[in-house]
Amino acid sequence: MAGRPRHQPDLSVVDPGYAGLDNLKLGWHWFTRLKTNRLVSVEGNRKNRPVAARLILRHGRIIHLKGYGWVKVFKTVTPDGREEYRATRRLGIHPLLLPSHNTKSKM
């Protein structure tokens, strides 16, 4: 991504390849897939563990992304059964308002 946008979109879908901390901190409202080894905590910036090791509910969970701050994470399951984790900085967003990725939520 190249700097701050001239306009502020409601939600920018960010490719996981560009989901590094520098890009996430640009101030955009973003939504991206997290790698399963991204470190998160439910207690602020303490006791970080991989996101795949945390209980993520169907409607999402607010957790602390190491190096960034609080985000809302959703767990999805692909048609072939692979678990994926998606995150946004918009903490109050409902999962039905998120971009569709042809996956179904799993508890």
Side-chain angles (χ1 to χ4, degrees):
M1 290 192 264
R4 294 189 181 271
R6 291 190 179 118
H7 66 284
Q8 188 74 351
D10 287 334
L11 190 66
S12 297
V13 178
V14 178
D15 183 275
Y18 294 96
L21 294 176
D22 289 341
N23 287 334
L24 297 182
K25 291 180 178 181
L26 288 174
W28 301 22
H29 290 285
W30 51 263
F31 176 70
T32 191
R33 185 169 49 102
L34 297 177
K35 292 184 178 183
T36 58
N37 64 350
R38 286 293 286 264
L39 296 177
V40 297
S41 172
V42 294
E43 303 174 26
N45 201 18
R46 301 181 358 207
K47 298 184 181 179
N48 290 296
R49 295 176 57 197
V51 67
R54 296 287 182 191
L55 175 64
I56 309 295
L57 302 175
R58 172 181 31 205
H59 289 52
R61 183 173 188 182
I62 296 174
I63 56 180
H64 189 273
L65 178 62
K66 184 177 181 178
Y68 178 82
W70 296 99
V71 298
K72 190 165 188 179
V73 176
F74 301 88
K75 180 178 178 179
T76 58
V77 179
T78 63
D80 63 356
R82 190 180 66 234
E83 294 178 350
E84 294 182 344
Y85 298 88
R86 304 189 185 277
T88 181
R89 76 176 219 155
R90 293 182 64 183
L91 303 182
I93 199 163
H94 190 278
L96 293 178
L97 299 176
L98 293 171
S100 172
H101 287 272
N102 297 320
T103 57
K104 59 182 180 180
S105 293
K106 180 179 177 182
M107 202 123 170

